[in-house]
Amino acid sequence: MRKCSAMFALLLLVGGAVAPDLASAANWPRFRGPNGTGIASDKDVPTEFSDTKNVLWKTAIPGAGYSSPVVWDDRIFLESSSADGKTRSLVCLDAANKGKILWSKPISGDAAKIHKKNSFASSTPATDGQRVYASFWDGSNVFLYAFDFAGKQLWKQDLGAFKSQHGHGQSPMIVGDKVIYNHDQDGAAVLLAFNAKDGTAAWQKRRDPFRSCYSTPFVQEKENGKTELICASTAGITSYDPATGAENWNWAWKFAGMPPQRTVGSPIAAGGLVFISSGDGAGTRHMVAVTADGKPSVSWEKKKVFPYVPTMLAHDDHLYFVNDGGIAACYSVKDGKEMWNERIGGGFSASPVLIDGKVYAPAEDGSVYVFPAKPQFEKPIRNAMNEEIMASPAVADGKLYIRGKTNLFCIGKK
């Protein structure tokens, strides 16, 4: 199956379309899956499970890290780090062989100051079915690597120094034949594009820098058939031509009376709008819905309730989310009308996923809450994985992959 999917991906890469993210319904090739939506096409994933119930397998991952798993056919990739921060690793597992670790590629590094909810392996890799791309911070500089599926290093790019009071966590993505990386840090920001085959620089675009932002861009097809790369940070939301880096339009975020906040969750699109939220450790929140056209403007905005770290979901004209403090909510995409707002648990850092019309939201304490994505609230099912969860889950081939503090769990029907 991998050979077939890889060949299809190759055809899509030659065409230069967005489709590597959409190459196969069974794949989850980047942070938050196909095009970063967090939405799976799978239909038969269990809604009730635990660390022992409906677990097809679990594998202990050496070291620690909050990198999310990505999946291409029977290969799973994620990042990890040694406890002392001296080594980072890209790890490859075999989904078809009970999660057996096939290889691990060590990257040297040093310990550095990071946020208590961060790790030295928080970046999520991306894959196009031929290569896997991963970014690592060695405590000083950030490096972008490409490996083949056998673990052979194909190329490496030194992206230069990285500075952030919270540490590193940005993730690469793929558009056509290019790897895109939002290299945003304290006091400097640039959007980078590299040729996926050999790692040579394709283009770069400077962005206004504030505090380091961690959001991953996405792509959208316009009615005229053109493809836009949408990048969001504290600087605002910008549309680029992914082939050349040329700017299509820009919306600048204004923060009246307060310092620039940090954008951690990634942008999403629905109903002709782009949605992005920002915040800070003091509890300030600011979410905007911006028209995605040549003359962008704020359609509506909120300054409470919306999440800071977890990314939102869009489904059937509504936004769904669970915020950092454990409040789940549903809002109208069109006008921001609140449909419901309920506390379901404690702290959340992982982004939820949507499977067959249901939201799966992992909490830091190891609970995974499942509730229908409906404008009427229904009490969620609580599933106990019994270990800390900070990484966002992945969904592929009818299976839910949850990375806990120690294990990677494969949830599915036996």
Side-chain angles (χ1 to χ4, degrees):
M1 180 178 178
R2 190 190 319 153
K3 183 177 180 181
C4 178
S5 293
M7 180 60 70
F8 184 35
L10 178 59
L11 293 173
L12 293 168
L13 285 167
V14 171
V18 247
D21 273 352
L22 311 176
S24 169
N27 294 325
W28 193 266
R30 54 156 284 178
F31 177 63
R32 300 193 72 244
N35 205 24
T37 63
I39 300 173
S41 59
D42 302 76
K43 300 292 184 182
D44 204 25
V45 177
T47 58
E48 296 187 31
F49 50 87
S50 69
D51 58 331
T52 57
K53 179 180 180 181
N54 281 325
V55 176
L56 299 181
W57 51 260
K58 69 177 182 179
T59 298
I61 304 299
Y66 301 148
S67 165
S68 296
V70 298
V71 187
W72 192 280
D73 291 345
D74 57 1
R75 293 294 179 263
I76 304 171
F77 303 97
L78 51 76
E79 295 181 13
S80 190
S81 169
S82 61
D84 61 6
K86 296 293 184 179
T87 304
R88 287 83 157 130
S89 301
L90 178 65
V91 183
C92 175
L93 300 90
D94 186 351
N97 190 15
K98 297 184 178 180
K100 178 183 178 181
I101 294 178
L102 298 177
W103 50 262
S104 178
K105 295 298 174 180
I107 307 293
S108 297
D110 288 310
K113 181 182 178 181
I114 59 174
H115 191 275
K116 63 182 180 181
K117 290 189 177 183
N118 199 359
S119 73
F120 293 114
S122 293
S123 175
T124 296
T127 180
D128 53 19
Q130 299 178 81
R131 295 170 287 270
V132 57
Y133 311 92
S135 65
F136 293 94
W137 176 51
D138 68 2
S140 177
N141 285 24
V142 172
F143 297 86
L144 183 64
Y145 290 82
F147 296 87
D148 66 17
F149 274 32
K152 178 183 177 182
Q153 182 180 312
L154 301 176
W155 54 261
K156 169 185 174 182
Q157 278 282 2
D158 184 348
L159 307 187
F162 176 81
K163 180 181 179 181
S164 171
Q165 65 182 117
H166 286 180
H168 179 253
Q170 290 87 341
S171 302
M173 60 167 292
I174 304 160
V175 185
D177 59 357
K178 293 179 175 59
V179 182
I180 308 295
Y181 185 82
N182 186 21
H183 193 31
D184 193 297
Q185 57 184 302
D186 292 352
V190 60
L191 184 64
L192 301 168
F194 300 92
N195 293 306
K197 184 177 180 179
D198 58 15
T200 55
W203 53 261
Q204 64 178 30
K205 293 293 177 180
R206 297 289 175 183
R207 292 176 58 81
D208 290 338
F210 294 101
R211 298 178 184 175
S212 180
C213 294
Y214 300 91
S215 65
T216 307
F218 71 93
V219 293
Q220 63 178 0
E221 294 280 0
K222 303 296 289 183
E223 293 181 358
N224 59 9
K226 292 185 177 181
T227 299
E228 290 184 318
L229 173 68
I230 304 296
C231 182
S233 68
T234 305
I237 303 171
T238 311
S239 163
Y240 299 94
D241 180 342
T244 66
E247 182 179 303
N248 297 314
W249 54 262
N250 177 71
W251 173 80
W253 208 335
K254 305 297 182 183
F255 294 84
M258 59 180 175
Q261 297 170 163
R262 194 184 304 277
T263 302
V264 178
S266 297
I268 61 171
L273 302 172
V274 174
F275 302 88
I276 189 66
S277 60
S278 71
D280 60 30
T284 301
R285 302 290 182 264
H286 191 178
M287 175 272 175
V288 290
V290 175
T291 56
D293 54 33
K295 297 181 179 179
S297 62
V298 176
S299 178
W300 55 273
E301 62 185 317
K302 302 288 182 179
K303 294 189 177 180
K304 293 181 179 180
V305 182
F306 276 77
Y308 172 29
V309 175
T311 301
M312 300 171 279
L313 294 164
H315 177 65
D316 287 348
D317 300 321
H318 292 91
L319 293 178
Y320 297 89
F321 62 82
V322 180
N323 72 14
D324 310 64
I327 294 176
C330 171
Y331 282 74
S332 167
V333 163
K334 181 180 179 180
D335 56 15
K337 178 182 178 182
E338 184 180 279
M339 310 307 295
W340 54 264
N341 174 328
E342 300 285 344
R343 178 173 295 281
I344 64 170
F348 287 74
S349 289
S351 296
V353 294
L354 184 78
I355 310 172
D356 194 21
K358 295 175 283 291
V359 177
Y360 289 63
E364 293 173 4
D365 68 359
S367 303
V368 181
Y369 296 88
V370 181
F371 58 88
K374 295 181 179 179
Q376 301 82 32
F377 177 72
E378 294 185 22
K379 185 178 179 179
I381 299 169
R382 178 182 174 273
N383 301 295
M385 301 308 296
N386 294 314
E387 58 181 85
E388 179 189 75
I389 302 174
M390 302 293 285
S392 301
V395 189
D397 198 24
K399 302 173 183 66
L400 173 67
Y401 294 94
I402 299 173
R403 182 181 189 173
K405 183 176 183 179
T406 302
N407 297 289
L408 177 65
F409 296 89
C410 177
I411 305 297
K413 293 186 177 180
K414 297 183 179 180

